Amino acid sequence: MSVDWSSRLATQAQARRADGLWRQRRTWRPAGEVCGSARRGDARHDFAGNDYLGLAGDPRLAEAMAAGARRYGAGARASHLVSGHLEVHEALERRLAALTGRPRALLFSTGYMANLGTLQALCDADTRVFQDRLNHASLLDGAALAGSASRRFHHRDLADLERLLARAPTEAPRLVVSDGVFSMDGDVADIAGLAAMAHRHNAWLMIDDAHGLGVLGEHGDGCVGRAHDVDEVPVLVGTLGKALGTGGAFVAGSEALIEHLIQFARPYVYTTAQPPGVAAATLAALGILAAEPERRTRLASLIARFRAEAARLGLPLAASHTPIQPLVLGDSHRVMAWAERLAARGLSVGAIREPTVPRGQARLRLTLSAAHADDDLDALLEGLAACQAEDTRSPERVARAGEAAP
Ligand SMILES: *Cc1c(COP(=O)(O)O)cnc(C)c1O
């Protein structure tokens, strides 16, 4: 009997809606030019993005992108190994290696692909991969692509990791994998602890510092960067679409690691090189990162102010000192109701539900940016206080509003 695809899709859609997990995209339509303005041109207060340093709308990046396109063309025309590897890519790789204190770096088109490619090239069915429970989906998918089963240790729990490492067959190559800054929680991995543990068990350590790069570290070099060398953290992944405001990603490490990825990482080999204008804009972003440390100072003071005032309001703050500030509300309907109310006030926030986070831990994911003005933060705090007041007034209406929400 043939499969009825229409009813199969309808059944799955129905189940997802019933669980309050239906996801919808909102189309943003800027009223004016975004570049050079702290807002997205439509007077919204954006607390959902990952533009931590406010670089995505910086006119200098747009200029560099246009200049790169004029010089090299809008597209790279081919993959890196054919004829798409341009001098601007090479320059960016050198700059990223220098920023992170590694011998070499290799550009990928996205962070998702960097993680897929790295795990697929390093691992196979005999490899043992150990992952923090809260690792990003791309890390889990990368191990699956490699045909390796991932053993998942409790979040930031070195003793649990050690228990799993001790059980692995001695002859199996081992790779310990963790986010640097956890993307939905904002807390930071214990890099030194992980490095020592990996070393003791003859494992390599891979850190995905997507949300730390540009924000943490003495030079904005992330939670690994120059503070933890290539012996401690042999495999370092960074993404460029977050604090650096552009797009793409890189892996940094030894000469041997980078050459191995060039040979074997299929998501590197079989894809068109990043558009050269994007690489040129990222070089501009790295220049600004070095020249304007005040962006990081501003971000730190916004984080401190948000935490102090949210604590005063009695909001359920998480143990995060990064720009990712989740408010774990628990129930996904409640999260949707808060997000809708905040949207009505022109506040855009992330409404995060399962499967992105475990069931019962649905949350608003608020992110701060150096581009926020004091009155953006005022508006956010007022909006959150209003949501809280509304919940106390009519808890049942909250549940119903959540069900009706998209
Ligand atoms: C965003 C993110 C990625 C994916 O990066 P993209 O460049 O957006 O594909 C990978 N890892 C983590 C931890 C992330 O937060």
Side-chain angles (χ1 to χ4, degrees):
M1 207 173 66
S2 71
V3 173
D4 178 351
W5 280 101
S6 303
S7 57
R8 184 175 155 87
L9 267 52
T11 308
Q12 291 178 10
Q14 169 74 42
R16 182 158 274 227
R17 281 184 199 278
D19 289 342
L21 298 178
W22 190 251
R23 296 171 180 225
Q24 267 189 323
R25 303 174 306 169
R26 230 181 262 279
T27 305
W28 296 101
R29 202 175 294 100
E33 292 214 352
V34 170
C35 255
S37 139
R39 307 257 169 95
R40 297 209 324 190
D42 57 0
R44 282 199 158 254
H45 309 275
D46 182 4
F47 289 97
N50 304 310
D51 181 25
Y52 306 125
L53 298 177
L55 290 174
D58 192 300
R60 292 169 289 182
L61 270 63
E63 277 312 312
M65 191 174 280
R70 278 193 294 271
R71 182 170 170 81
Y72 300 100
R77 300 182 178 85
S79 64
H80 284 277
L81 284 169
V82 175
S83 61
H85 189 63
L86 302 168
E87 62 182 347
V88 67
H89 297 131
E90 186 68 27
L92 178 54
E93 287 179 348
R94 282 180 205 286
R95 191 76 176 261
L96 291 166
L99 174 69
T100 55
R102 262 80 190 143
R104 279 189 75 184
L106 185 71
L107 261 184
F108 281 77
S109 299
T110 70
Y112 188 88
M113 289 171 75
N115 284 336
L116 284 192
T118 303
L119 286 156
Q120 169 262 311
L122 289 176
C123 303
D124 59 25
D126 297 327
T127 316
R128 292 293 189 271
V129 182
F130 303 89
Q131 306 222 30
D132 188 289
R133 275 253 159 94
L134 299 188
N135 275 356
H136 192 262
S138 56
L139 294 167
L140 300 170
D141 294 356
L145 182 63
S148 312
S150 290
R151 273 82 175 156
R152 299 172 76 174
F153 55 94
H154 297 311
H155 181 48
R156 297 183 75 251
D157 185 340
L158 290 175
D160 194 41
L161 170 61
E162 175 141 62
R163 191 177 57 80
L164 295 178
L165 280 164
R167 279 206 220 142
T170 32
E171 68 286 358
R174 302 123 188 253
L175 184 67
V176 175
V177 183
S178 179
D179 280 18
V181 174
F182 289 87
S183 52
M184 297 300 137
D185 292 73
D187 54 347
V188 184
D190 173 4
I191 304 295
L194 286 168
M197 181 70 67
H199 191 257
R200 219 166 29 248
H201 290 269
N202 197 25
W204 258 14
L205 176 60
M206 171 176 177
I207 299 291
D208 172 359
D209 202 16
H211 296 275
L213 193 82
V215 173
L216 303 178
E218 200 185 330
H219 313 275
D221 49 340
C223 73
V224 176
R226 281 173 257 175
H228 299 279
D229 67 17
V230 73
D231 293 325
E232 275 186 283
V233 182
V235 188
L236 172 60
V237 177
T239 68
L240 307 171
K242 284 158 184 165
L244 292 170
T246 57
F250 67 95
V251 179
S254 67
E255 182 72 31
L257 171 72
I258 299 306
E259 280 305 324
H260 183 83
L261 296 178
I262 293 172
Q263 305 308 315
F264 298 110
R266 297 168 66 88
Y268 179 78
V269 174
Y270 296 107
T271 197
T272 301
Q274 177 179 77
V278 178
T282 308
L283 278 167
L286 290 169
I288 297 171
L289 176 69
E292 299 178 4
E294 61 273 20
R295 287 172 184 268
R296 293 193 287 126
T297 319
R298 165 75 184 156
L299 180 57
S301 78
L302 284 165
I303 295 168
R305 190 185 148 216
F306 171 78
R307 289 187 62 82
E309 300 197 14
R312 208 165 298 137
L313 290 172
L315 291 165
L317 277 173
S320 161
H321 294 275
T322 66
I324 301 169
Q325 292 291 326
L327 296 178
V328 179
L329 301 176
D331 175 60
S332 55
H333 296 297
R334 185 168 176 225
V335 164
M336 293 315 290
W338 281 46
E340 288 298 316
R341 278 190 223 130
L342 294 170
R345 293 171 160 256
L347 290 154
S348 159
V349 303
I352 311 291
R353 295 163 283 171
E354 64 174 310
T356 308
V357 294
R359 175 173 294 230
Q361 292 185 32
R363 65 197 63 189
L364 295 180
R365 177 178 181 269
L366 310 172
T367 53
L368 298 170
S369 165
H372 286 140
D374 290 336
D375 67 355
D376 289 315
L377 193 47
D378 294 342
L380 176 65
L381 291 160
E382 279 164 29
L384 291 170
C387 286
Q388 211 175 21
E390 182 85 9
D391 265 17
T392 353
R393 266 201 300 278
S394 61
E396 310 87 63
R397 223 177 65 215
V398 170
R400 260 180 286 128
E403 268 155 49

